[in-house]
Structure formats: C-alpha cells, structure tokens
Amino acid sequence: MSDNRRFTMHDVANRAGVSYQTVSRVINHHPHVAQDTRERVLHVIAELGYRPNRAAQLLAGNHSRVLGMTTFALNQYGPAQMVISVEQAAREAGYDLIFANVTDTALESVQAAIHHLLHWEVDGLVFLAPLTGMTPEDLRMLCGDVPLVQIGASGGDGASSAAVDQAHGGRLIAQHLMGLGHTRLAEIRGPAAWVDAQARHQSLLDVLAEAGLEPTASEAGDWTPRSGYEAARALLAKGAAFTALVAGNDQMALGALRALNEAGRRVPQDVSLVGFDDIPEAAYFDPPLTTIRQDFEQLGRQGVAYMIERIANPGAAAQHSRVLPRLIERTSSADVTR
Amino acid sequence: MSDNRRFTMHDVANRAGVSYQTVSRVINHHPHVAQDTRERVLHVIAELGYRPNRAAQLLAGNHSRVLGMTTFALNQYGPAQMVISVEQAAREAGYDLIFANVTDTALESVQAAIHHLLHWEVDGLVFLAPLTGMTPEDLRMLCGDVPLVQIGASGGDGASSAAVDQAHGGRLIAQHLMGLGHTRLAEIRGPAAWVDAQARHQSLLDVLAEAGLEPTASEAGDWTPRSGYEAARALLAKGAAFTALVAGNDQMALGALRALNEAGRRVPQDVSLVGFDDIPEAAYFDPPLTTIRQDFEQLGRQGVAYMIERIANPGAAAQHSRVLPRLIERTSSADVTR
DNA sequence: ATGTTCATTGTGAACGTTCACTGAAAACTA
DNA sequence: TAGTTTTCAGTGAACGTTCACAATGAACAT
C-alpha cells in the first residue's frame, strides 16, 4: 500500500463545509440533498480527485456493487468471449467484477473459487464453468443465498441463466447435412465433461434418430486442433465410412481438416466438414468452414441483466434465456457426391 | 449481500478460548504463537469454515495481498495467455488479482483503469497494455508509488518488466528467410499502436538493412485473419514481387495464406510464409506455419516474481527480463526457387 | 535473589465507509 | 394559526480486521 494517502470523505466534507454523511449521500445518489449542496460537494470531489475507498464501502455497506465471476478455460474461445462480454456489461451497469479461476474439473476447485468470491462479500455471482457434474442445486448450496446467474449453461430453479441453445445448434447442423443428402455422418465430440459438448452430441443423435439414422462413428477430442487431428485419424484408421464430419468446435475441425487432407480425402468433395463456434479464423480455413455462430456478447449482456434484476428483487423467480445459434454456411460442406 | 452471516474472528476466538488478536496472528503466520494454541485455533477455523473478510483485512491492514492488473484485447492470443499466466502465478504467491479492462487505446482509458485499481488499495499493479504512446514515466505518474510491473512491454526505470525480446524474434525470422535464399521479403505488420508490432517490424528492417536489403512492400493489419487477407490482397494487387511474406501474427498469416491461395501463389513453393505467436492452430494450417513461439507462461511468472520482490523491498531498482522467443520451423517456409 | 530478555497473549484504537437515528427548518394541510 | 409532513443535514455506532502497545510469565544471566 502506498504512502500517498488518498483523500477521505472527511477531507471532502471539511472542504465543502458539510458533514461526511452528506458526502456519502451525494456519492450514493441519495435524494434529499439540496441542489447547491450537491454541486458544492461534487465540485470538491472533482477538485481533490477523491474516489471512495472500495474496501470501506464494502465493509460498511450491505451491498457491495461487486460481482464475482468464476472463470474456466480462458484459453478457449467461448469462455474468453463470455468473460469479455460479462466484464463489459458489468462495468456498464456500475458493478465491479472480480474473478476466480477454476483450474480443473474437480468439484473442490469450483468450491474453492466460489468460497473465494464469497469472502469478498460480492452482491452476486456469475457462474461460468461449463462442466457437467455440477447441478444447479450444488451451486445453490455453495453460494448460500447470494444471487446467482449461470452463463453458458442451463440453470435450475435457484439460478437464472443465459445460454446458447446447443441442441438447436446440433439440429441446424444435422438438418443442413441431411439436406445436402448426407446419411453417413461421423462426429468428433468435445470432452464429455462439458455440457456444451454433451448437448451438441445429444441433439445430433436425436435428429439423426428421427430420420432413422445414427452416426457412423464418433470420437472424443479435447477442443484442441491436435485432438481434432488425432480423432480424425482414428476415424480414418477404423475405416469408418462417412461423407460428413461434425466437429465439436472449429479448432478440432481444423485439425480434422488436416488429417483428411493427409489421407487424401478432399473437403468438401469427399467429406463435408462442419464446426462449432465461428472463431474469427474459421472463414479463412481452406476451405472456409461451415459452422455455428453463437452470440456470446448477447449472453454476457443478458446474464448481467438478470443479475441486476435479481439483486434488486431477490424474491423473483429465476429467469432463463436461450440464445439461438446461427448456421454460417461456407464451402466446407457440400452436396454428397456418392 | 447475503443474510447468511459468516463467522468472524471473534467467533473463532471465543470457541478457541483466545483473543481475536491471537486468531489474527495464526492467520497471518506470525511467529510467537504457541504450538498448541495455533493448532487449537486452526482446528476451530476448519470446524467453522471460517475465512477472513477480505474487505476488513484490506481496510485495516497496510498491505492488502491484492494485485491489480490492467487487461487489454483479451480476445487476442498473447494478452489472453499473459492474463492466464499472471493469474496463476499470483494465486500461487498468495495474492488475489483484480482486473480492470482497458477498452480503447486512449490514454484516459488507461488512466481510468489504473485509478479504478488504486481504489482497491492494491499492493501492486501489473500493467498489461501493450500499446505505444504510454511511456513508463506516464505510468509512474498515474500509479504514485505503488509497485508497478509491466508485462509484455519493456519498462523504464520506474517499473520492472518482463517481456519477449521481439527484436530477437524479428531477427530469427529474417535470418531464417535469408538463410533460405530469400531476398525479396514482403511484410504484413501489426497495428502501429502496439509496441510488439513496432518492435517486430523494426528488427526486420534492421536485419535486412544489415544485408543491404529492404522489404519489397509492407502493409498493416489489425491482427485479425480478415485484415491479413486484405493486406495480402493489397500486396498482390500492387504487383509487389516477393518470395517470402512475414506476418505480424499467426492469424494474419492465415488470412494471407488464403489470399495467396486464391491468387494461385502456392506456399511454400512460390511464397514462403512465416507468422508470429505459434497459436495452437498454427501447426494445423495448410501448410503448417513456420512461426515464432513466445513463452507467455514464463512472462507471467517472471512478472509476478518481480512484483513480489518489489513489494518486499520497495527501494530496490527495477529489474527487467527479456524472454527469447524461438523459431518453430514448419513447412510454410522453404528454399527460394527462383 | 534480582534484574534482563524473550516468548506469548491481550487491550484499545484505528482504517473509511454506511446505517439507524435524531433534529431543525421548510413546506404543506386543515 | 397550529399541526403535520417532507426535506435536508448531522451524530454515534457499527462493519471485521490489523496495528501499536502493554502485560504476563518463564528462562536466563548476573
């Protein structure tokens, strides 16, 4: 902590010739402060460059204007985008945001992160940890009665949530490919521990089943290009006969693309390839990748909006929104040729 | 804030039959606490699930065990990696980390972020905003005497720094390409406002100049694949004659790759292409991209280490480390053929 | 014995805010 | 006019910690 003592409320109060309480009122936009008094105080605040001490506010008040957010797998496109959009939305709503990173998939890691945030006396908790095996009920238990919003995964009764309708995404892909005449689809799934991966996988299965089909073959990856590459090689090695390949995200699609190339399978002539996410790179793959775009911006905004509502009105029921993803059709998918 | 009142130090003290001060001492690992007293207190702490209130600690203490970090362009690979590694290193050192995102390149934006962090009474400030136009002296002014560490950009006397030796990276690339016989190099630079982009550009110029060469042509992009695509098209449209193309990062290299393909210029037969960053995707481009790998992990770790040192020993001189990047040779670069 | 040090514990005050009251003046109401 | 409400401002006490200092007793040297 630095020597350069910051000004306190009392300094401002003295200079403005009012009591510290009045300064507090001005800061917190209380009504019942005379117009000229307010202006005088505001003027002194600007003059001194005074800004309230967050720690003291937090300690004394019964609301903190701080939101806590768990983060996870920030090196992944989706999570990173959500963090960015939540931070932006929170800032705009006048809330500070503090983060606690969840390092691994173990429950204790999630628990540690949440406890950590709780010790900051946050007004609300934005939960981003798109893993299965953590029910909304578990979360509620951990959080006590702190308002809770889940982002990127569906919530239960206890928590509001904003998520992408992954099932819809899977359906879009299945319908797109079947519409092109494909009946033999292979799949590179994301890690089983991720709800998104599960949802995409399941919806693909469902839609295929409705048409009396099932995937020719399926491998799991870990979201990385490398795992996509290896999964595709495994599929090829098994001799799986497929005319279309669905990857759980764009990065794995890239890896698969390379494996297909090496095996002499041309995309899209021999195999149609689709991904998930629409990362900025996807349009520049060779060929440009057909994929599913998800509006993470919207997710963050919606989640924070729910949070503000819950804080203002703790009794209200949880709200849930499902953002519909969009199919971005590029040239990695085409009519089946045989 | 929730109703579920957390336990306080006094609760622990009562249960353990000691004074609150003793509890405080146990928490802060003070010496001069009897072994059995310590154990008794620790036991009660565990039993009650007590964790100290951060706000109170922050307010009362003259150190906060909190580090502030400015963030910028989190959707970029480099910045995101640095945030991840700093958060990890800070956590391991027992420090909490709070972030303030810098939204645009304006000085006021940086200033706002720093002020914001200062109001949290942080023990130190990790500065990540790899933009030019912000001298270390400016920073010092803004921060008062709070220990300051710059990451990803070189610092001055006032602040320690951990950065990648970008000039070395540029040199590696230039030497690699000249070693392959290339003499006509074109370049797609990063945005001028970024120090990294500048440094890479300048070192390329320098090394070429030493060999009596200069770039055939040069365009600027904004790090996105799209901008790389457009820059490459611009180079081709100008009729620039080059056998090697240096991109400021891997994503722009990807865009350029696509533009070259569309123009019928094969990589590496007609044009050697090199990037910067070694993003996970780079190895799966077609062809796999020759690029420069930077150890961001190391950067974060080193930066936080400097920070800890500075906090412990405020008088000490600033330290600087330059991490040497490495050339990752893949197949996008080859002997010049004509 | 007697002072001197050292390990161990406790006490009161601070940190900078907000909250719950209280009071005075001004503005309505009857 | 008197009573009532409303606006505005101030006072004292929290919030949960750490800090500076004081106090106790044991160990040690003299």
Side-chain angles (χ1 to χ4, degrees):
Chain A
M1 218 166 272
S2 66
D3 300 347
N4 56 344
R5 272 258 139 305
R6 308 199 53 72
F7 292 109
T8 79
M9 243 177 183
H10 293 83
D11 298 324
V12 176
N14 286 340
R15 286 247 206 171
V18 294
S19 77
Y20 53 88
Q21 181 59 262
T22 302
V23 177
S24 172
R25 277 195 265 262
V26 169
I27 287 172
N28 296 297
H29 307 103
H30 268 268
H32 306 326
V33 177
Q35 192 51 239
D36 59 334
T37 319
R38 180 188 309 280
E39 274 164 17
R40 192 149 31 96
V41 170
L42 247 24
H43 186 259
V44 175
I45 287 179
E47 196 174 72
L48 257 42
Y50 164 81
R51 285 278 206 81
N53 180 317
R54 299 295 281 126
Q57 288 185 311
L58 221 133
L59 183 59
N62 46 15
H63 70 284
S64 62
R65 301 248 141 204
V66 176
L67 259 32
M69 179 172 189
T70 65
T71 61
F72 184 68
L74 281 179
N75 47 345
Q76 229 60 42
Y77 180 75
Q81 293 299 312
M82 291 193 253
V83 168
I84 292 172
S85 68
V86 168
E87 121 88 25
Q88 174 96 4
R91 170 197 300 267
E92 282 168 14
Y95 276 79
D96 278 0
L97 195 58
I98 66 177
F99 298 95
N101 196 49
V102 175
T103 49
D104 56 88
T105 62
L107 208 97
E108 299 93 57
S109 181
V110 176
Q111 195 166 359
I114 289 181
H115 277 339
H116 180 88
L117 295 174
L118 255 29
H119 297 140
W120 281 100
E121 310 264 341
V122 293
D123 275 350
L125 225 140
V126 179
F127 187 76
L128 172 68
L131 298 172
T132 58
M134 169 113 273
T135 68
E137 289 71 34
D138 290 337
L139 279 181
R140 268 264 67 88
M141 281 254 300
L142 289 173
C143 298
D145 46 11
V146 175
L148 178 63
V149 169
Q150 282 193 74
I151 293 210
S154 49
D157 282 350
S160 292
S161 71
V164 172
D165 189 334
Q166 296 294 347
H168 187 250
R171 204 171 307 126
L172 285 176
I173 286 183
Q175 287 168 351
H176 171 64
L177 290 173
M178 296 194 314
L180 291 169
H182 294 274
T183 54
R184 287 171 300 167
L185 314 198
E187 184 195 16
I188 301 177
R189 310 186 305 276
W194 290 62
V195 286
D196 289 0
Q198 277 297 359
R200 293 169 192 175
H201 171 61
Q202 191 56 51
S203 67
L204 188 68
L205 250 49
D206 291 348
V207 180
L208 287 180
E210 282 168 23
L213 298 172
E214 62 178 13
T216 307
S218 177
E219 286 282 330
D222 65 3
W223 297 135
T224 63
R226 152 175 278 267
S227 74
Y229 174 78
E230 279 163 5
R233 280 175 60 102
L235 288 173
L236 293 166
K238 282 199 292 198
F242 54 89
T243 61
L245 179 55
V246 180
N249 73 348
D250 291 348
Q251 313 206 4
M252 293 198 295
L254 177 65
L257 189 54
R258 167 135 213 91
L260 291 169
N261 274 337
E262 287 180 1
R265 308 282 281 266
R266 293 162 305 161
V267 175
Q269 294 88 337
D270 301 329
V271 175
S272 282
L273 179 66
V274 297
F276 236 107
D277 272 353
D278 195 27
I279 61 177
E281 287 88 344
Y284 297 89
F285 287 179
D286 184 24
L289 189 67
T290 294
T291 187
I292 296 284
R293 179 180 301 168
Q294 326 187 40
D295 190 349
F296 292 111
E297 174 76 17
Q298 168 68 12
L299 238 50
R301 201 160 295 283
Q302 184 65 260
V304 172
Y306 282 164
M307 177 63 82
I308 306 291
E309 257 182 81
R310 288 219 108 197
I311 291 173
N313 192 353
Q319 293 173 286
H320 304 278
S321 86
R322 290 287 159 281
V323 176
L324 290 186
R326 232 170 81 214
L327 181 75
I328 306 293
E329 213 174 323
R330 300 206 182 92
T331 49
S332 72
S333 56
D335 280 330
V336 67
T337 49
R338 21 164 201 182
Chain B
M1 219 166 271
S2 65
D3 300 347
N4 56 344
R5 273 254 140 308
R6 308 196 53 71
F7 292 109
T8 79
M9 242 178 182
H10 292 83
D11 299 324
V12 176
N14 287 339
R15 286 245 208 173
V18 294
S19 77
Y20 52 89
Q21 182 57 261
T22 302
V23 178
S24 172
R25 279 197 262 263
V26 170
I27 287 172
N28 297 297
H29 307 102
H30 269 268
H32 306 324
V33 177
Q35 191 52 239
D36 58 334
T37 319
R38 179 189 308 279
E39 274 164 18
R40 192 150 30 97
V41 170
L42 248 23
H43 185 259
V44 174
I45 287 179
E47 196 174 71
L48 258 42
Y50 164 81
R51 286 278 205 81
N53 180 317
R54 299 294 281 126
Q57 288 186 310
L58 220 131
L59 183 59
N62 46 15
H63 69 283
S64 62
R65 301 250 140 203
V66 176
L67 259 32
M69 178 173 191
T70 65
T71 61
F72 185 69
L74 279 179
N75 46 344
Q76 229 61 41
Y77 180 75
Q81 293 299 312
M82 291 192 254
V83 168
I84 292 172
S85 68
V86 168
E87 121 88 24
Q88 175 96 2
R91 169 197 301 267
E92 280 168 16
Y95 277 80
D96 279 359
L97 195 59
I98 67 176
F99 299 94
N101 195 49
V102 175
T103 49
D104 56 88
T105 62
L107 208 98
E108 298 94 57
S109 181
V110 175
Q111 194 166 1
I114 290 182
H115 277 340
H116 179 87
L117 294 174
L118 255 28
H119 298 138
W120 280 99
E121 311 263 342
V122 293
D123 276 350
L125 226 139
V126 179
F127 188 75
L128 172 68
L131 298 171
T132 58
M134 169 113 274
T135 69
E137 288 72 33
D138 290 337
L139 278 181
R140 268 263 68 88
M141 281 255 300
L142 289 174
C143 297
D145 47 10
V146 175
L148 178 64
V149 169
Q150 282 192 75
I151 292 210
S154 49
D157 281 350
S160 291
S161 71
V164 171
D165 189 334
Q166 297 294 347
H168 187 248
R171 203 172 307 125
L172 285 177
I173 286 182
Q175 287 169 351
H176 170 65
L177 290 173
M178 296 194 315
L180 290 169
H182 295 273
T183 53
R184 287 170 299 167
L185 314 197
E187 184 195 17
I188 301 177
R189 312 185 304 276
W194 290 61
V195 285
D196 288 0
Q198 278 296 359
R200 292 171 191 174
H201 170 62
Q202 190 57 50
S203 67
L204 190 68
L205 249 49
D206 291 348
V207 180
L208 287 180
E210 282 168 24
L213 298 173
E214 62 178 13
T216 308
S218 178
E219 286 281 330
D222 65 3
W223 298 134
T224 63
R226 152 174 277 269
S227 75
Y229 175 76
E230 280 161 6
R233 279 174 61 101
L235 288 174
L236 293 167
K238 281 199 292 197
F242 54 88
T243 61
L245 179 56
V246 179
N249 73 347
D250 291 348
Q251 313 206 4
M252 293 197 295
L254 178 64
L257 189 53
R258 167 137 214 90
L260 291 169
N261 274 337
E262 287 179 1
R265 307 282 281 266
R266 292 163 307 160
V267 175
Q269 295 89 337
D270 302 329
V271 176
S272 282
L273 179 67
V274 297
F276 235 108
D277 272 353
D278 195 27
I279 61 177
E281 287 88 343
Y284 296 90
F285 287 0
D286 185 24
L289 189 68
T290 294
T291 185
I292 296 284
R293 179 180 300 167
Q294 327 188 40
D295 189 349
F296 292 110
E297 175 75 16
Q298 168 66 12
L299 238 51
R301 201 159 295 282
Q302 183 65 260
V304 172
Y306 283 164
M307 177 64 83
I308 307 292
E309 258 182 80
R310 289 219 108 197
I311 291 173
N313 192 353
Q319 293 173 286
H320 304 276
S321 86
R322 290 287 158 280
V323 176
L324 289 186
R326 232 171 80 214
L327 181 75
I328 306 293
E329 213 174 322
R330 300 205 181 92
T331 50
S332 71
S333 56
D335 279 329
V336 67
T337 49
R338 21 164 202 183

